[in-house]
Amino acid sequence: MVARGAGFCFGVKRALKMAFEAARGGQGDVVTLGPIIHNPQVVASLEEEGLRVVTSLEDVDGGTLVVRSHGLPRRVLDEAAEKGMTIVDATCPFVKQAQDRAVQLEREGHAVVVVGEEDHPEVLSITGSLEGVATVVDGTSPIVSDLPEADRYGVVCQTTQPQEHLSAVVSELLPRTRELKVFNTICEATFERQESALKAAREVDLMLVVGGRNSANTRRLWELCREAGRDAYHIETADELEPEWFEGKEEVGITGGASTPQWIVDEVVAAVERI
Ligand code: F3S
């Protein structure tokens, strides 16, 4: 059973199209800060087209910067502009919306709280859009001690977080404040993918979650399947499948993250059928 929504989401498809176009036709050196998506196979084929992955703009002089779907903090965009770089902005519109909402909350005088993973590039792009400092909480542990005292809190969420994390933070904040403004910035694609993975997980004996090991949304799908009490494995490619996983299992569910190409999901399906 292949879960609905497995494979590239709208934002990733859009970013890849822009990246391939820039790699083929961009001016000078064409770079991204970090891999364009969390999928090593796709990154390798983009490198063949001429898109170079760098970790900072320090050694880059001019050329083209492709901004990933996660977005970038404002100071990095300013740095690229100062270097005279052409910017191809492939920030996912849903991420852009989370950035804009955070800015709005800050302007309105709220203490901004971002629900998500502190070091995730998307979260850094959201907090990096602000003038001041936001508090990042992951929604899985009590947050009270992390928060500054404030009369007004404003909340946005990393686009790939599960709904429960946002809800947990909101219910913890509510009794602490007189005003709480929440923008549910979890993207539709994430919501649907998580729902359909959970639905599949409840119906099968074993779940396979396909996607880059460094892909936060893929890892999250894996966690959700396990939390649903299902045996589940996170794999990057079909080569990692072990026949003994399937002993005594009759039905297998397969899902993939937002940055997992359809052809990798198809290869896993074919390999499972062979086993
Ligand atoms: Fe955008 Fe959602 Fe994909 S935020 S990049 S459409 S997972």
Side-chain angles (χ1 to χ4, degrees):
M1 181 187 290
V2 180
R4 206 164 40 87
F8 286 165
C9 62
F10 147 82
V12 165
K13 277 189 198 148
R14 177 176 170 275
L16 280 175
K17 184 165 176 284
M18 291 170 82
F20 272 106
E21 281 168 8
R24 288 170 192 146
Q27 294 160 358
D29 209 7
V30 183
V31 300
T32 53
L33 272 168
I36 185 91
I37 60 169
H38 292 140
N39 185 283
Q41 292 77 16
V42 173
V43 170
S45 63
L46 262 167
E47 265 171 357
E48 277 169 29
E49 298 281 346
L51 185 130
R52 202 159 63 88
V53 180
V54 295
T55 50
S56 93
L57 291 182
E58 240 169 64
D59 303 322
V60 183
D61 205 13
T64 302
L65 171 67
V66 181
V67 179
R68 307 185 294 175
S69 57
H70 298 315
L72 278 173
R74 212 183 31 203
R75 66 172 172 75
V76 181
L77 293 173
D78 290 347
E79 188 186 346
E82 274 162 29
K83 284 175 178 275
M85 298 184 83
T86 304
I87 294 176
V88 175
D89 189 357
T91 307
C92 175
F94 292 116
V95 174
K96 183 80 182 63
Q97 192 179 42
Q99 294 171 349
D100 292 345
R101 294 302 199 191
V103 169
Q104 177 190 337
L105 289 167
E106 183 180 53
R107 289 205 179 123
E108 289 171 355
H110 296 88
V112 180
V113 177
V114 182
V115 181
E117 292 154 276
E118 202 165 12
D119 301 326
H120 192 279
E122 179 193 324
V123 172
L124 295 174
S125 87
I126 296 171
T127 54
S129 307
L130 303 173
E131 301 284 337
V133 181
T135 308
V136 181
V137 291
D138 71 3
T140 57
S141 49
I143 57 168
V144 174
S145 55
D146 297 338
L147 283 171
E149 282 300 320
D151 286 339
R152 316 168 79 194
Y153 289 105
V155 181
V156 295
C157 192
Q158 184 181 346
T159 55
T160 49
Q161 286 286 298
Q163 188 76 50
E164 302 77 64
H165 290 192
L166 176 60
S167 305
V169 172
V170 169
S171 36
E172 239 192 289
L173 275 173
L174 200 52
R176 287 169 52 95
T177 183
R178 295 188 307 120
E179 188 178 323
L180 176 61
K181 192 163 182 174
V182 182
F183 287 114
N184 181 349
T185 49
I186 298 171
C187 93
E188 202 90 332
T190 299
F191 184 71
E192 278 173 16
R193 193 176 316 104
Q194 290 176 349
E195 287 292 297
S196 60
L198 266 178
K199 187 166 174 284
R202 290 192 191 107
E203 291 178 26
V204 299
D205 305 309
L206 170 74
M207 276 302 287
L208 300 173
V209 184
V210 190
R213 291 217 197 289
N214 52 357
S215 156
N217 79 84
T218 305
R219 268 202 322 271
R220 188 71 66 216
L221 285 174
W222 179 56
E223 281 164 17
L224 280 174
C225 293
R226 284 163 31 120
E227 281 162 21
R230 189 58 60 233
D231 280 353
Y233 295 98
H234 176 179
I235 53 170
E236 277 192 355
T237 66
D239 295 342
E240 293 168 40
L241 292 173
E242 302 285 349
E244 55 268 27
W245 295 349
F246 300 87
E247 273 163 26
K249 310 286 188 204
E250 293 200 353
E251 282 189 276
V252 179
I254 298 173
T255 188
S259 50
T260 307
Q262 187 62 44
W263 59 269
I264 294 187
V265 176
D266 293 344
E267 274 183 7
V268 172
V269 172
V272 171
E273 280 170 349
R274 278 198 300 277
I275 289 170

